[in-house]
Amino acid sequence: MTELGTVTVTGVRGSLARSAELKRDATTVQDSISALELGRFPDDNVADSLSHITGVAISRTAGGEGQKVSVRGLGPDYTLTTFNGRILATDGAGRDFAFDVLPADVISGADVIKGAQASLTEGAIGGLINLRSASPFDQKGQHGIVRLEGDRNQMSELNGRKFSATYSNTFFNDTLGILLGVVRADRKDRTDVAGNDGGWTRNPDPNDPNWWGNAWGGNIDPNGNGVLDPDEYGLIGPGQFRVGSIMEDKKRRAYSGKIEWHPSDDVRIVVDGLKTRLNSPQVSYQQSYYPLFAPGRWSNMTVQNGIVTGFTMDNPDPSLRLNPELLNQTQYRVVDTDLYGINGEWKVTPALTLTGDLYRSTSSRHSGGQDSYVVLRMNQPNIARITLGPNAVPNVDVRFNDGRDLATGLANNQFTASDFNTHYMELSGDNIDDKITGGTVAGKLVVGRWGVDLLRFGVTRTDRRKSRDLVNNTLNGGADYYSEANAINVADLGGGVLSHNFHLPNFMSDVDSNFPRSFLAFDVPNYLAQLQAYNGHLRPDGTPYDYAMAAPAWNPLQSYRVSEKTNAFYVEADMSGDRWDGNIGARLVKTRTSAQAWDAKILSITENGPFNYTAKYAAPTPITEDANYTYLLPSANFTWHFTDELQLRAGVAKTMARPAVDTLAPTNTTESVSWGEFTQVYGGNVNLKPYTATQGDLSLEWYFADHSIANVAVFEKRIKNQITTSFEPGQDIGVPGYLFNVVRPINGDHAKVRGLELGLQHFWENGFGVRAQYTRNLSRSWVNGEKRPLEGIAPATYSLGVMYEKGKWSLGVNADHTDGFVKAVNVLGTGYNELADSLTWLTAHVSYRVNDMLSFTLDGQNLLDDPQTYSINGNPLLSDGYFRYGRSVNLGVNLRF
């Protein structure tokens, strides 16, 4: 329940009313969302709620849960997330926050701050997202809520459950308050996937100077004359594709607490903490096909508009025929996120107030060597036909010489361990620890002269230390240890590696292609144990198998330690006149960065077979690099009140966003050597400078009725120092007999972002309400003088919500639409872009309040069951990715006291 003036509003209506008031009272351009009540957010996921805000788009993880947030046409790297003004540590390589680690139940509200002020934490160009926790003084006295939920996904037929509770109370004449919260959620979900991991193969095109081709096995040659003919320039064909399903068992735990003490009217002290654990292991069962072209491998080719749409693979040579694969991927993701702090405020005099804040934020994910990408390859002679169609998966028809076919054999459990050989076995995972210690001392002084109402000032200190230790078996060649000539027939291993076939309900039911839709149960942990038990058997070269040679080990070339110490000082003046108010200020930021990584020279390269090489490395040596930078970030905001209901807001500022932490460390990798691509990729550069932007905002806001608003805003950002990639071909890096392409990140490119935002929110007396928003982004970047679209940015997003709330009932439907956008530029040459296709996410809710203590809710997610799809230039023949989450329903019961 939210109190606004003399009107009491509840539920969705109260949440939106509070959000409108926050926007109206903000000192810069801002949008907000608020909790429906104590311990209950509008959506189960914070990112999903943010997607209803103008200018906000989200990306989703397995199961369809919102994970990363983009603001105003700029990706997660341009966004900073804080909790009560404190920077949140992250479990990824960068700074962008993964919202799936944080249950919505611990949040009371979120502000998306699109403008800039000197008093706000620096580090965001797209927008600053500040999550807010509740205070026991929001509602004095004793209050509590217990919520039980159960959900079911109609595609996967899997269930989930959640328990959450929040309790608050105030004591001693409302001078001491406590607030406690707990969340325990268990959910199983499934995501059906298809993709093109090996990418599409495209011949060289002499008309495109930026494309030399990527046909590793040789240029696609339909007429077989061994010459690249003009009608074969830029010809495209499949390289590798896969189809399967990701199974996730997600467990989420969160505990929050706050103690707030008001010993006097002039002093407030708050101690608070948040502890969460996300345990979401994934197992993916997939079929993988590797039909990459090589001379003599394809026959009976059909070509349509420069794309090979069909071919037969009937060469009896085992290295040239199609060898279907079982691909099993596992991901071990356990993330511990903690945030603890103390905050104090002291009103020294009626004119001077001082505040202080000290906090520690940590995130830890230790999955080193526990992720797997394991392939078993079929070894039986066969004839295969692959044809492309307008679906996410090609048609696949594989018929073995013994009379079996792949689809029927998998469905009827006709294949056994003897039909498979060991193949690629990548074991990987990283250990990431992120620790942020921050402190602020600030004040505000009432001036009341020279046109200045209030002077704000402060100093902040932030110390961030992030480390990554990659543990894998690609550096030591272990991923290929049991492949090619050293492959072992699975029947020669112990039992239980392959146990039985199985079928998934509704698997790829909206994809009309003909391909195998059954799976063999592939037990990876048992497989690894059986490989260890096989030690001592002789390899073809006479040496014994030794699993230790294939086991994951610390990879120093992609591990790092980065420390970043920042001091910032700001001063800001609040001013006002008869019909206007505003602020002007500046923030001085000085950052020192130290980065440590390791380097190891390649001593030799051994060719194991086609597209299969092993590099031998020297002992690693540490590299430490230091850098620093200083920026002055001025800002000004101005609001003109035409009437009490109509106001015009304007803002200008210089802003900055720091590079992702991993791009500051001088790591490097030559892993591509293993498949025959000789490239050294440097992951970071300590001398990278932050992105900077000069930006302007103009927003007209009309609060035409109680808790209602219509607004239009325009904005522009001119971004410098964007991080791009330098490409240096044919470099001698000291490996005898080989020249390498060298790739490294550098500053230098720039971008321009312009946009329009429209918003409407209104409630009628009869209980109906509407909320709508539209955002249009016009974004361009320049890379080495070439004009390109900004990657990962939707040109338009819009949403529409219709609701009814009266008496005991609350009902609503929300549709959030994201236009298709460019995901990656020039992936197959100039103008061949990977596109994310448009997506509409439809949700609905119904709640019934039995009395003041008891209510029931029913929510639906992804009701249209739209898959997220990717393609090359929007061409359905060139599918590049498919993710289907299924629709789900959630039933909840709430008990208040």
Side-chain angles (χ1 to χ4, degrees):
M1 183 176 293
T2 304
E3 289 281 341
L4 295 176
T6 60
V7 180
T8 302
V9 287
T10 60
V12 175
R13 189 182 182 102
S15 171
L16 295 177
R18 176 59 180 158
S19 298
E21 291 299 314
L22 288 170
K23 180 178 181 68
R24 187 174 193 169
D25 296 338
T27 52
T28 187
V29 179
Q30 171 182 313
D31 286 287
S32 301
I33 50 177
S34 297
L36 302 177
E37 58 184 333
L38 182 67
R40 185 178 168 215
F41 218 52
D43 295 272
D44 192 51
N45 177 278
V46 178
D48 281 315
S49 288
L50 291 171
S51 68
H52 306 320
I53 288 178
T54 53
V56 173
I58 67 173
S59 60
R60 300 184 182 276
T61 185
E65 187 172 0
Q67 185 183 53
K68 299 294 181 73
V69 175
S70 301
V71 181
R72 281 191 163 178
L74 294 169
D77 286 346
Y78 296 84
T79 301
L80 180 68
T81 302
T82 60
F83 191 95
N84 293 330
R86 300 159 175 167
I87 300 173
L88 282 165
T90 64
D91 75 299
R95 304 173 192 271
D96 47 317
F97 185 69
F99 281 85
D100 61 334
V101 307
L102 194 65
D105 311 73
V106 301
I107 304 298
S108 71
D111 303 316
V112 180
I113 303 167
K114 304 170 185 177
Q117 287 182 237
S119 55
L120 297 175
T121 304
E122 81 285 345
I125 291 178
L128 171 64
I129 300 173
N130 183 49
L131 309 177
R132 293 177 274 109
S133 63
S135 165
F137 289 91
D138 291 340
Q139 300 179 70
K140 295 178 181 179
Q142 178 175 261
H143 300 275
I145 183 171
V146 176
R147 181 171 172 83
L148 298 173
E149 299 175 59
D151 66 78
R152 182 171 179 81
N153 187 285
Q154 294 181 347
M155 179 191 77
S156 66
E157 301 180 4
L158 297 173
N159 301 322
R161 61 186 182 272
K162 184 171 77 170
F163 166 82
S164 62
T166 305
Y167 174 81
S168 73
N169 204 349
T170 55
F171 310 91
F172 305 115
N173 296 320
D174 294 332
T175 60
L176 179 67
I178 63 168
L179 186 145
L180 302 172
V182 60
V183 181
R184 296 180 64 88
D186 297 329
R187 182 187 182 192
K188 297 180 185 295
D189 57 51
R190 190 186 100 207
T191 303
D192 290 348
V193 299
N196 200 323
D197 280 354
W200 291 92
T201 296
R202 182 169 181 250
N203 280 349
D205 184 355
N207 300 313
D208 183 356
N210 297 319
W211 183 252
W212 302 280
N214 65 342
W216 299 344
N219 296 328
I220 302 173
D221 189 14
N223 61 21
N225 66 356
V227 177
L228 184 66
D229 299 316
D231 61 351
E232 296 167 348
Y233 292 172
L235 188 63
I236 298 174
Q240 184 256 5
F241 60 92
R242 55 178 174 78
V243 58
S245 198
I246 301 171
M247 317 292 289
E248 184 176 39
D249 187 4
K250 184 176 292 184
K251 294 179 173 62
R252 193 182 270 118
R253 306 288 185 262
Y255 308 94
S256 59
K258 179 178 287 189
I259 300 175
E260 190 166 340
W261 183 34
H262 299 181
S264 70
D265 293 340
D266 298 328
V267 177
R268 176 181 58 82
I269 299 173
V270 180
V271 178
D272 59 328
L274 172 68
K275 184 176 184 64
T276 74
R277 164 167 280 204
L278 173 66
N279 184 352
S280 59
Q282 296 178 2
V283 179
S284 174
Y285 299 97
Q286 300 187 50
Q287 303 159 16
S288 178
Y289 305 91
Y290 213 112
L292 179 71
F293 178 84
R297 198 174 193 204
W298 292 4
S299 63
N300 301 320
M301 280 183 261
T302 58
V303 178
Q304 177 183 330
N305 298 325
I307 302 170
V308 178
T309 58
F311 52 89
T312 300
M313 303 181 69
D314 54 5
N315 195 310
D317 186 335
S319 65
L320 293 177
R321 71 184 178 217
L322 180 67
N323 296 293
E325 299 171 342
L326 295 184
L327 167 60
N328 189 300
Q329 290 178 270
T330 64
Q331 183 181 82
Y332 179 83
R333 185 175 179 224
V334 179
V335 183
D336 290 299
T337 304
D338 297 346
L339 174 62
Y340 303 101
I342 181 170
N343 181 279
E345 180 180 279
W346 176 30
K347 192 179 227 183
V348 183
T349 70
L352 177 63
T353 301
L354 298 178
T355 59
D357 186 78
L358 183 65
Y359 73 93
R360 166 72 57 82
S361 175
T362 61
S363 181
S364 176
R365 175 171 57 83
H366 288 181
S367 56
Q370 300 184 73
D371 299 341
S372 66
Y373 186 105
V374 182
V375 177
L376 297 183
R377 172 171 281 185
M378 300 195 80
N379 55 22
Q380 304 298 325
N382 66 80
I383 296 176
R385 179 72 184 175
I386 308 291
T387 57
L388 305 184
N391 301 298
V393 184
N395 297 293
V396 180
D397 183 17
V398 182
R399 300 183 182 273
F400 296 92
N401 292 4
D402 59 11
R404 295 177 295 176
D405 72 84
L406 184 61
T408 304
L410 286 172
N412 297 334
N413 209 24
Q414 295 175 357
F415 297 110
T416 64
S418 63
D419 291 307
F420 295 89
N421 289 340
T422 61
H423 191 53
Y424 188 74
M425 183 189 73
E426 181 180 344
L427 306 176
S428 63
D430 47 13
N431 300 328
I432 292 182
D433 290 286
D434 191 12
K435 182 172 69 174
I436 303 172
T437 305
T440 300
V441 177
K444 54 184 180 181
L445 177 66
V446 177
V447 178
R449 62 180 69 180
W450 308 305
V452 177
D453 300 328
L454 193 69
L455 188 66
R456 304 177 189 271
F457 54 91
V459 59
T460 67
R461 166 82 172 185
T462 306
D463 185 345
R464 183 169 201 160
R465 300 174 185 269
K466 192 159 194 168
S467 65
R468 182 201 191 203
D469 286 301
L470 177 63
V471 180
N472 67 6
N473 67 343
T474 54
L475 183 65
N476 59 11
D480 294 304
Y481 186 77
Y482 296 99
S483 66
E484 302 297 340
N486 296 308
I488 304 168
N489 189 269
V490 177
D492 294 334
L493 301 175
V497 175
L498 298 175
S499 57
H500 64 281
N501 70 328
F502 65 95
H503 315 273
L504 297 171
N506 307 304
F507 174 65
M508 306 293 281
S509 58
D510 65 335
V511 176
D512 294 331
S513 305
N514 295 314
F515 59 93
R517 295 174 182 260
S518 303
F519 298 88
L520 280 176
F522 178 10
D523 187 340
V524 170
N526 185 47
Y527 173 59
L528 300 181
Q530 297 299 335
L531 289 176
Q532 294 182 59
Y534 200 75
N535 282 354
H537 289 76
L538 296 182
R539 292 156 59 94
D541 63 2
T543 61
Y545 282 99
D546 182 1
Y547 179 81
M549 301 293 292
W554 179 57
N555 184 338
L557 301 187
Q558 292 178 265
S559 301
Y560 60 78
R561 312 282 185 269
V562 173
S563 69
E564 189 177 70
K565 297 181 179 180
T566 298
N567 294 313
F569 173 78
Y570 71 87
V571 60
E572 179 179 297
D574 292 354
M575 299 170 289
S576 65
D578 186 31
R579 301 205 63 85
W580 65 273
D581 55 71
N583 57 76
I584 186 171
R587 189 177 186 94
L588 182 65
V589 179
K590 184 175 182 61
T591 298
R592 295 184 180 275
T593 303
S594 180
Q596 178 183 334
W598 289 262
D599 189 21
K601 302 299 182 183
I602 297 178
L603 300 177
S604 64
I605 296 176
T606 302
E607 184 174 358
N608 305 312
F611 318 116
N612 190 339
Y613 297 79
T614 299
K616 182 180 179 181
Y617 292 86
T621 56
I623 302 171
T624 301
E625 297 179 350
D626 300 314
N628 65 82
Y629 54 82
T630 302
Y631 284 96
L632 180 65
L633 306 174
S635 62
N637 295 280
F638 174 84
T639 303
W640 178 263
H641 303 274
F642 295 101
T643 67
D644 290 343
E645 294 77 30
L646 182 65
Q647 62 186 34
L648 177 67
R649 196 188 301 273
V652 293
K654 181 178 180 180
T655 56
M656 60 175 278
R658 294 182 173 89
V661 176
D662 61 316
T663 63
L664 297 173
T667 58
N668 76 88
T669 177
T670 49
E671 284 185 351
S672 63
V673 167
S674 68
W675 58 83
E677 182 181 337
F678 301 99
T679 301
Q680 183 176 41
V681 179
Y682 283 92
N685 176 359
V686 75
N687 291 307
L688 288 177
K689 302 300 183 184
Y691 313 104
T692 61
T694 53
Q695 64 182 48
D697 297 275
L698 196 63
S699 175
L700 183 63
E701 302 163 6
W702 180 30
Y703 299 87
F704 57 91
D706 285 344
H707 323 314
S708 299
I709 177 178
N711 66 282
V712 57
V714 294
F715 60 89
E716 178 171 312
K717 302 174 187 287
R718 297 176 180 266
I719 305 170
K720 297 181 179 179
N721 286 340
Q722 281 209 131
I723 295 175
T724 187
T725 300
S726 69
F727 183 80
E728 305 160 29
Q731 300 297 305
D732 183 358
I733 66 170
V735 183
Y738 295 91
L739 295 178
F740 277 68
N741 302 318
V742 176
V743 179
R744 70 181 83 240
I746 60 171
N747 288 116
D749 294 329
H750 62 282
K752 182 185 294 185
V753 179
R754 293 176 177 173
L756 168 71
E757 296 177 346
L758 303 173
L760 174 66
Q761 175 180 306
H762 182 56
F763 297 97
W764 288 272
E765 293 298 326
N766 60 9
F768 283 96
V770 63
R771 175 181 57 182
Q773 66 93 356
Y774 173 83
T775 303
R776 178 69 178 175
N777 294 306
L778 302 173
S779 305
R780 290 290 182 270
S781 66
W782 284 261
V783 178
N784 296 324
E786 178 187 352
K787 186 178 180 181
R788 297 181 179 180
L790 270 176
E791 297 176 355
I793 305 305
T797 60
Y798 44 93
S799 67
L800 175 65
V802 179
M803 62 212 73
Y804 174 82
E805 194 165 85
K806 196 167 187 178
K808 297 183 177 183
W809 287 96
S810 175
L811 304 89
V813 177
N814 284 285
D816 298 295
H817 178 86
T818 302
D819 272 358
F821 58 88
V822 175
K823 187 180 179 184
V825 175
N826 298 343
V827 293
L828 291 176
T830 304
Y832 286 84
N833 301 329
E834 182 183 12
L835 304 182
D837 301 316
S838 62
L839 178 68
T840 299
W841 195 267
L842 183 67
T843 62
H845 80 272
V846 178
S847 68
Y848 179 76
R849 183 182 289 261
V850 179
N851 52 43
D852 289 343
M853 294 185 61
L854 181 65
S855 65
F856 296 91
T857 61
L858 179 65
D859 296 273
Q861 296 286 332
N862 191 25
L863 297 179
L864 296 179
D865 195 10
D866 273 356
Q868 176 67 74
T869 57
Y870 303 88
S871 62
I872 302 297
N873 287 351
N875 190 330
L877 292 176
L878 299 178
S879 175
D880 227 27
Y882 170 99
F883 299 85
R884 183 186 176 201
Y885 312 112
R887 64 175 60 90
S888 61
V889 292
N890 178 292
L891 179 64
V893 57
N894 305 279
L895 181 63
R896 304 170 190 82
F897 58 90

